[in-house]
Amino acid sequence: MLGAAAAAVLAERSDAQPGASGSAKRKQPACILTPEQTEGPYFVDERLNRSDIRVDPTDGLARPGVPLALVLRISSISSAGCTPLTGAVVDIWHCDAAGIYSDVADPGFSSLGKKFLRGYQVTDANGNARFVTVYPGWYRGRAVHIHFKVRAKAGSGQGYEFTSQLYFDDAITDRVHARNPYAGRGQRKVKNEGDAIFRDGGSQLVLSLVEGTQGYSATFDVGLRMPR
């Protein structure tokens, strides 16, 4: 069932430009530096190499929610333009429909030992890291978001790390959160413009979602200025 849902979402995603054919169908990545944002308190380096992050490997149960197929396309930006960043480790993590992160102790919940909605992928020759997850829920004080981290080797061989967050159009979130299992959580209090972290570059980090038969998909270009 999970595989079929993921396939249905992915089938609706297209990187094709109208009228293009063959190799020209792929859009070129946006050669724009991506704003960096705070890691937040809930990053756990689980080292879970997986594309579908919905299932908790500790119990085999999938977190409920609207499927979301996400492609992060990572590029290194220089004076010569954009170059796909191959072999970078890309982590994503976010809360579930009830606003809970896995493997953390929080005043409102404890999910220690759980590993849902976390994972990493290694970018391919085109700089792509592909994930299947669910549309995030909300929790107090924040707009709806996904965290991501990119770890790679710079030109000198030293380690390089970049962390930021992705956001959603508030109108789409309203529609999604009116459905189960989100509706039981109640209406969120903070939207994008009311989020202090979003106001620091978040308008450049909003996903352009494509609606499919069973969920949503998005491709987001991440442009990095790598040290030499």
Side-chain angles (χ1 to χ4, degrees), residues 121-139:
Q121 287 286 274
V122 178
T123 54
D124 61 20
N126 295 312
N128 293 329
R130 300 178 182 275
F131 298 94
V132 177
T133 185
V134 296
Y135 204 105
W138 65 271
Y139 56 96

Side-chain angles (χ1 to χ4, degrees), residues 174-187:
D174 286 342
R175 294 201 301 270
V176 172
H177 283 192
R179 302 162 56 179
N180 288 325
Y182 306 91
R185 173 79 171 140
Q187 192 171 25

